[in-house]
Structures are given as C-alpha cells and as structure tokens.
Amino acid sequence: MIISASGNIILHYLHFPMEEHLKYMKEALREAAAAAAEDEVPVGAVVVCRGRIIARGHNMTERLKDPTAHAEMIAITAATEATGGKYLTDCTLYVTVEPCPMCAGALAWSQIGQVVYGAIDPKRGFSLFSPGLLHPKTEIIAGVLAEECGALVSDFFKKKRKQ
C-alpha cells in the first residue's frame, strides 16, 4: 500500500525502485536483530539520504531506561546530526514496524520526505490513532518485507510470554 500522509494514494514507488526498498529494509531488519540481541523489542530503522545510509537506530528503551528511545527517534537524531539540520526532506526512513504516534510526530517535525515501513502495528501504530499525523508532503510506503518484520516482533513476544 502506498499513500501520502494526506491520504492520497500514490501508484508508483517514489524515490527508489522496489529492489532499493528491499535493500534498505534488510538493513533496518539488521538493526532490529541488534535490538533483539540486547533484549529490546526488535524494531530497527535506517535513514537514507541521496542513496546512502546516513543514520541507524534500534530500540534502546531498556538499556537507556527511556521510554522515548524508539528506533525511529534514535535514527532521526543521528540523521539530523549527520545532515547538520533539523529537516530531513530529502531523506527516507526505513523502519521495520509502523511508527507509533510519538515517532510519527517527530517525523512530522523533521519533515522527512518518505517513510517506508514493514509490519503494521495494529495496537499502537500511528495510522490507528491519527493517520494524518505525518507532514503533509511525507510519502508513505507500507508492507515492505512485512512478514519478516512482523515475525521478529511476534517471535520476541512469544519468547517473553514463555519466560
């Protein structure tokens, strides 16, 4: 599914062909695996600007004892540091799970050009609460490697329930 933050359906892959989306989502999955290895909820993110990864992040809420230390927040902070500015209009965030409303708000303030996510978050995803939360010019692509991204989170919580 491809939609703009304003709800308009976009019928083509915008900045990159699908192979590029897969390539960068696999990098986000590597970050998610790093989170899982640290016993964090396995969500990973990368920010791509002009064809190269400029920032990476994964959930660090347990390690930092900070409920705002989501993968997206870590990646946004690293990306703005890398670009030297607060706006990421020429960048794309790849994240393994749909951003929560907090992260979507931060993405809106960064004016990120595009958000590509894997698995939908049916409990806490921003589209459930406020689909127009992202900047109006931000383009959204959902469902890239959704099964793999969703399986990481599902498996993590299955293991947690057994403990």
Side-chain angles (χ1 to χ4, degrees):
M1 164 174 57
I2 307 170
I3 57 174
S4 70
S6 61
N8 298 327
I9 296 173
I10 299 166
L11 299 175
H12 55 87
Y13 287 92
L14 300 151
H15 298 299
F16 301 120
M18 188 54 155
E19 307 83 57
E20 292 292 302
H21 291 308
L22 294 171
K23 171 182 156 182
Y24 293 124
M25 187 60 74
K26 287 177 184 176
E27 290 296 320
L29 278 164
R30 283 188 185 86
E31 287 295 319
E38 297 170 9
D39 205 30
E40 298 274 1
V41 175
V43 177
V46 297
V47 176
V48 176
C49 197
R50 296 179 191 95
R52 70 180 187 90
I53 296 172
I54 63 164
R56 297 173 176 272
H58 58 268
N59 276 359
M60 300 174 81
T61 60
E62 299 299 326
R63 183 198 318 175
L64 299 177
K65 297 179 181 19
D66 177 357
T68 69
H70 291 193
E72 300 94 326
M73 302 295 274
I74 303 293
I76 291 166
T77 299
T80 56
E81 188 173 313
T83 63
K86 65 182 181 179
Y87 297 122
L88 300 172
T89 54
D90 295 332
C91 300
T92 300
L93 173 83
Y94 289 85
V95 61
T96 56
V97 177
E98 177 184 3
C100 72
M102 174 188 70
C103 293
L107 289 163
W109 285 112
S110 78
Q111 298 183 15
I112 194 134
Q114 188 174 51
V115 174
V116 179
Y117 64 88
I120 291 169
D121 185 342
K123 294 182 181 177
R124 297 186 182 195
F126 80 93
S127 64
L128 180 66
F129 300 101
S130 185
L133 189 56
L134 292 172
H135 191 275
K137 292 184 180 176
T138 297
E139 301 158 342
I140 305 164
I141 297 177
V144 176
L145 296 179
E147 286 185 29
E148 294 92 327
C149 295
L152 258 181
V153 175
S154 295
D155 292 348
F156 176 82
F157 283 112
K158 282 178 191 171
K159 288 177 188 170
K160 283 288 186 189
R161 285 191 290 274
K162 288 182 182 178
Q163 293 178 350

